[in-house]
Amino acid sequence: MTQKEYRKAAAQSEENAQRTLFDKYFNYVYTIVFSRLRSCASREDIEECVGDVFADVYMHFDERRAFDGDPTGFVGTVARHKAADMYKRLTKNKFGIVSIDDEEAAEIEAPDNTADTVEKKELRGSLIKCVELLGEPDSTIIIQKYFFMRSSTEISKLVSLTPEAVRVRCSRALKKLRETLTDMNISL
């Protein structure tokens, strides 16, 4: 949906235009927000952030009158900014940041699980890179199936394949992913 199409639809019914925009970009926005907030936010926080993204998009989408192309970049930018704001708000002082002038600061030690946390973060990063290397639509299928727990039928609508084709591609992609991880000496 281009901005011209949105304006035309909004002239007929603002609610229907917003619903169309929401339906088209929901998965995109949710993926961006979820990937940024999954480590610190509850499901409700993520859903609230997605709602805030669409509220901002609806308010500011028509203000850019000179823009008539695909709004994917605009929607993605709003989603990234909202997710970053929510992340900052949720993690503010969560990590026990104290003033250098605080006398108790000298007594604070790193938690025992710091090495485990860093190792898990590196492992997640490597796993995501390996999934991205699978290419489309395999990476989308794996992410939707194992990160968002969607069924083959739901995924088939996103990638324009039959549910059977999604299952076949998923099993092949998992095999490729295992081989890639084994080559990198990573075992899960």
Side-chain angles (χ1 to χ4, degrees):
M1 166 180 268
T2 64
Q3 190 171 18
K4 281 183 181 178
E5 292 169 343
Y6 178 80
R7 277 193 229 124
K8 186 177 179 181
Q12 294 172 353
S13 169
E14 186 77 27
E15 186 176 320
N16 286 341
Q18 290 176 353
R19 171 54 63 185
T20 303
L21 193 69
F22 178 84
D23 290 342
K24 181 170 183 179
Y25 290 103
F26 175 77
N27 288 332
Y28 177 60
V29 169
Y30 192 90
T31 301
I32 292 170
V33 171
F34 179 80
S35 68
R36 182 66 172 119
L37 299 179
R38 69 177 168 223
S39 64
C40 66
S42 67
R43 184 180 182 143
E44 290 80 18
D45 290 332
I46 291 170
E47 290 172 358
E48 176 186 340
C49 188
V50 169
D52 291 346
V53 168
F54 281 103
D56 272 10
V57 168
Y58 298 148
M59 284 192 298
H60 302 290
F61 189 57
D62 203 31
E63 290 178 4
R64 297 173 173 238
R65 300 207 183 275
F67 174 74
D68 289 325
D70 182 22
T72 304
F74 173 69
V75 173
T77 301
V78 172
R80 281 187 288 282
H81 287 160
K82 281 293 180 184
D85 290 346
M86 174 78 77
Y87 181 83
K88 287 175 191 170
R89 190 181 57 172
L90 291 173
T91 59
K92 183 178 181 183
N93 215 15
K94 177 180 178 182
F95 299 110
I97 298 170
V98 292
S99 169
I100 207 162
D101 297 329
D102 192 349
E103 290 179 18
E104 294 177 18
E107 298 174 16
I108 297 175
E109 294 180 19
D112 293 335
N113 64 351
T114 301
D116 290 340
T117 304
V118 169
E119 187 176 318
K120 286 178 184 177
K121 187 174 182 177
E122 288 176 1
L123 182 63
R124 276 194 301 263
S126 298
L127 184 60
I128 291 294
K129 286 178 186 172
C130 290
V131 169
E132 289 172 350
L133 287 174
L134 293 172
E136 288 299 327
D138 295 344
S139 60
T140 299
I141 291 170
I142 295 295
I143 288 172
Q144 294 296 320
K145 179 121 180 126
Y146 295 102
F147 286 89
F148 296 117
M149 306 306 178
R150 295 218 166 105
S151 70
S152 296
T153 305
E154 292 171 316
I155 297 169
S156 69
K157 294 174 185 169
L158 294 172
V159 294
S160 302
L161 295 170
T162 65
E164 294 79 21
V166 168
R167 285 190 283 277
V168 168
R169 289 198 74 117
C170 183
S171 66
R172 289 180 185 164
L174 281 176
K175 185 177 179 185
K176 275 197 259 182
L177 187 59
R178 278 190 205 105
E179 291 170 1
T180 304
L181 292 172
T182 302
D183 291 343
M184 296 173 66
N185 293 325
I186 297 175
S187 61
L188 299 176

